[in-house]
Structure formats: C-alpha cells, structure tokens
Amino acid sequence: MASNFHFHNNNSQKSQKIVVVVVPFPAQGHLNQLLQLSCLIASYNIQIHYISTKTHNLQAKLRVHGLDSFSNIHLHAFSIPTFISPSPNPNSSIKFPSHLQPSFEASTHLRKPVKKLLHTLSAKNKRVIIINDSLMGSVVQDFVSLENAEAYTFHSVSAFTLFFFIWENMGRPFPIDAEILKDLPSLEGCFSSDFERFLKTEYEYMKFNSGKIYNTCRVIESPFLDLLSKEQINGNKKQWALGPFNPVTLSGTKKGSNIRSHKCLLWLDKQEPNSVLYVSFGTTTSFSDEQIKEMAIGLEQSKQKFIWVLRDADKGNVFTKDLRQIKLPKGFEDRVKEKGIVIRDWAPQLEILSHSSIGGFMSHCGWNSCMESISMGVPIVAWPMHSDQPRNTVLITKILKVGLVVKEWGRRQEIVTSNMVQKGVDKLMASKEGDEMRNRAKDLCAALRKSVAEGGVKRMELDSFISHITR
C-alpha cells in the first residue's frame, strides 16, 4: 500500500454515523481522481458510496494505479439510458472530445437513483456528506431537501486554471500580476459549444455547496489557492487542497518484483537512470494519421529512448470494440526496437513515471497527468490539446518551470512537425536546460512527499477536512 494512505483506528460511534457519497463525472480523469480520493477518505474508517454506471465503475477499477484495496468503498452501479458511443474524429479542428457528449448527457439521468440513495442513507446516518464533481451538480441537487446532508464540489483542474476561469467570468474583479496575464492563453478552441452549454448548466448548482475540494497542494499552488480563497471569488465557503490524490510512492516498484509484470516496466529495469522519455496523451486525444507520422519521425530522429502509448481517445463506453487501427510509418517499430517501445493498449502510467529510468514525459498536460508527473519528479514536454490543458501548460512551464512547450496554443491548428518533436525531446532529455528542469521537478517531488507525511501540509489539510465532516 502506498505511503499516501494512512489508516486510522477510529471506530467511534460518531465516525460510523458519517457516510460519504462520491459522484464522479463519467470521463477517465474524473473517475480516477475521485476513486483515489475515496480511498484516502476510506482510510479514516469512513464508509464511502461511489456512484456511477456499471461500465464506468468497471473502467475506474480496472485503470486505477497504485491502489490495491477498496475496503470501506461501496460501488453503486446505477442504470442510465443507452447512449451512442461514436468513435473520436482524429481530423477535427477542435480537439475537445465531442464524441463523448452523449455519455455526458446520459449521466444526468443518475439524478433519480442518487436521490433515492441519499434519502435512504439520510434516514440511517447522523450525516451524509456528498462529494460531487463540479460537472455533476444537477445529479446531486436533491440533497438540499435533507437536513443532515451537505455537499462539497470537487474541481478536477488546477487551482491556477480554475482561478482564472472564475476571475475572467466575474469580469476581472481585482488586478493580477501582468506577467502572468501575458502568458495566459485564451479559452478559444478549448471546448465544444455543446460542452460549454453543459458546463454553464452544471455550474449553476454550485451555489448549494458547503465548500470546495481540489486535487492540488500548497507546495505546488499556494498563491493560486490564496486567490481562490478571496471573498470575491469564493464567498465565505471553506476549501481544501487535498492533493495529490494519487500515491506518491508505490509498493512493488523494485527490480524483480512480482507485481511489476508489464513488459514496459521490465524493459525499463534494463535502462539507465533518467534516460527514457514517456510519451502519452491521455484518454481524450485523437491524432490525425499525418500527425502520428510526424511524431514517429521526430522520436526516431531524436535518438532518445522512449515508451510511446499510441491509442485513440476513449469512446463513451471504453469496452466497445471496433477501435481504430493506428498505423505507424513502415518499418518504424523494427528500426527503433532497441531504444523504444510502442504500447497500443492501457499502460500503467503511475508505475512508469515512478521508475528511475524515466527522465521526461511528453504529455497533453491534463491535470491528472500533471499531478502524477510532479508526484514522481518527472519534467514535462507539454503539448496541450483542449479544456484546461493550455493553462495547465503555463503553470508547468512558466510558473513551476518543470517543463517546456512543443507548440504554443496560438498555433494549435498547425501540424507539429518532426523537427519540432525532435527539438522538444532533445531539449528536455539531452541539454543543460533539461537537466535543470529535471532537478526542479525532483525538488518539487521531494517537497510533495514531505507534505503527505505526518505533520505535512497536505496531511494536515486532509485531517482538517475529515475533522470537519465528522464534527
């Protein structure tokens, strides 16, 4: 069991009368973060009810990293109307995963079974605590009729990204450092119009919550957490930075461990420290055939060792077949077989990032991936695609200075050429500047690990949240 989890022998009657209902949004990065948070809270001997559909619960369990126990967690699989699960469009000008919208819309039908469960739990327990994704406010809205229920909104993005989203929507109510604003990319091209409407609807329900939860830490984002706590932004509501949710050290990561059976981990055991680039763009990115060709050529030309997770974006139902067969340049895998591995299915990302042979991560900069990379002390070659990713990229590269950018957001419609890929890879993996980023990333990792230990800032924040909900 990873060291981020501390089990408490608190069997008092009071704690047994507090139950927590967790309602994630049905997309991988959201499902994963809230399942990890559920395990953290469950380690305090608090019963968790994790709510989704059968398909999404299975997805979350199969893909979660670094956890081997779900004790105290009851997974509820509720039915929703059948939704279409189309393939992603790799040639779309906007990279937002619009093909997942039917799944998002269908998830709103969880409201009725959630309402029923909340009423049942309310009658049996002293207090019902709801932790809902910010995109699932409509699903939990009926808690307001229960005197012993209270809800806390979970935001799955960085404090940096969330603050500027709120600040801009409020008409910039107070001044901000001009240097930061100079680097802040626009939200143009980040979302589809359908999702923007969905987002606006769901955010209306946040007025009912009793506080907010973030998957970040003061070690990483203290200035932006302070900005989020300003009365103009947050009212007088409580907020907790409980991240990182993911384990910061992993059991079974030593060479020869029986746990570590994935071929890429065994291959990493044979490589030199900091010598391998991990390349992965999450679960919502689809590249065109032309872009994949340029990426392959760039990786090959760099002469750097790599692990490349080459898969299409998730469908709404990740267990459906008829997946796109992504083609690489002829002979590519044979030519690079001594220095690179291509993985075409699910990869154990946290375990890969934690390996001493990994020296960099080429990433879309989804917040899940950013937190995992920072937790393991790995710098990032940033290539944002949509949503919060362009602004996360600014946090990683300009503020924390633990990464570099492949392509600026203003040039998002352009193909990233093989030369651009090679240049970014070489700069991170084989230059003094890259070494400096690696050292900063390792320092940040050390500070983050200290924060989760007894007396650390993250640990104290988590203890504070538990004390609040069990008061």
Side-chain angles (χ1 to χ4, degrees), residues 263-271 276 306-307 339 341:
K263 64 176 182 178
C264 73
L265 297 173
L266 301 175
W267 181 78
L268 281 172
D269 287 343
K270 302 171 186 175
Q271 312 308 319
V276 180
F306 64 86
I307 291 176
K339 61 171 185 166
I341 288 181

Side-chain angles (χ1 to χ4, degrees), residues 17-21 114-115 117-123 125-132 140-152 208-211 468-469 471:
K17 290 184 177 179
I18 307 297
V19 293
V20 176
V21 177
V114 167
K115 178 182 179 180
L117 177 66
L118 291 178
H119 277 266
T120 300
L121 294 173
S122 172
N125 296 280
K126 174 184 175 182
R127 185 178 300 126
V128 180
I129 302 295
I130 298 119
I131 299 175
N132 63 282
V140 304
Q141 61 179 294
D142 297 297
F143 83 88
V144 297
S145 66
L146 303 172
E147 289 186 1
N148 63 339
E150 54 196 44
Y152 297 84
F208 301 121
N209 71 33
S210 297
H468 176 73
I469 64 173
R471 65 195 183 279

Side-chain angles (χ1 to χ4, degrees), residues 233-466:
I233 299 294
N234 198 35
N236 280 313
K237 292 186 177 180
K238 293 180 178 292
Q239 64 176 30
W240 292 269
L242 303 182
F245 296 170
N246 60 271
V248 295
T249 58
L250 298 179
S251 58
T253 55
K254 293 182 179 178
K255 291 184 179 182
S257 166
N258 291 330
I259 298 172
R260 301 174 67 255
S261 58
H262 197 285
K263 64 176 182 178
C264 73
L265 297 173
L266 301 175
W267 181 78
L268 281 172
D269 287 343
K270 302 171 186 175
Q271 312 308 319
E272 294 296 317
N274 299 323
S275 66
V276 180
L277 177 75
Y278 175 55
V279 182
S280 178
F281 294 91
T283 57
T284 59
T285 300
S286 289
F287 285 116
S288 67
D289 291 340
E290 182 185 4
Q291 185 60 83
I292 289 167
K293 178 183 176 182
E294 291 295 322
M295 205 183 317
I297 295 169
L299 288 172
E300 186 175 0
Q301 288 176 344
S302 75
K303 302 290 194 290
Q304 301 296 326
K305 293 179 179 178
F306 64 86
I307 291 176
W308 183 6
V309 181
L310 182 61
R311 57 191 300 276
D312 221 4
D314 281 349
K315 291 185 174 184
N317 181 345
V318 300
F319 301 104
T320 56
K321 304 300 181 184
D322 189 31
L323 299 177
R324 172 187 173 206
Q325 294 299 309
I326 301 175
K327 293 182 180 180
L328 288 166
K330 189 174 181 180
F332 172 80
E333 290 183 77
D334 282 337
R335 292 194 302 273
V336 302
K337 63 184 178 184
E338 298 301 321
K339 61 171 185 166
I341 288 181
V342 178
I343 300 173
R344 293 179 180 270
D345 51 13
W346 189 250
Q349 178 163 296
L350 199 58
E351 285 83 353
I352 291 170
L353 289 170
S354 72
H355 201 287
S356 60
S357 295
I358 293 294
F361 180 13
M362 181 176 281
S363 170
H364 61 308
C365 274
W367 188 236
N368 227 25
S369 289
C370 289
M371 281 299 287
E372 290 178 354
S373 202
I374 292 169
S375 298
M376 299 305 165
V378 178
I380 295 174
V381 183
W383 185 342
M385 301 292 162
H386 59 78
S387 302
D388 57 326
Q389 299 161 19
R391 293 190 171 184
N392 292 342
T393 295
V394 174
L395 176 66
I396 292 294
T397 62
K398 303 287 188 180
I399 296 169
L400 300 177
K401 300 186 188 307
V402 292
L404 58 92
V405 184
V406 172
K407 182 177 66 170
E408 297 293 343
W409 185 240
R411 300 174 60 192
R412 62 189 174 277
Q413 301 290 3
E414 300 174 20
I415 285 284
V416 175
T417 65
S418 57
N419 287 338
M420 292 166 70
V421 173
Q422 180 186 348
K423 183 179 177 182
V425 171
D426 286 344
K427 188 174 182 180
L428 186 67
M429 301 299 291
S431 76
K432 182 181 177 182
E433 193 175 346
D435 289 339
E436 290 170 351
M437 291 176 195
R438 216 165 350 268
N439 289 335
R440 281 193 291 271
K442 291 186 186 303
D443 288 345
L444 200 53
C445 165
L448 205 55
R449 290 182 179 185
K450 188 177 178 181
S451 80
V452 308
E454 194 78 46
V457 62
K458 174 264 171 75
R459 182 73 178 279
M460 292 170 66
E461 193 108 348
L462 183 57
D463 288 345
S464 166
F465 177 69
I466 298 299

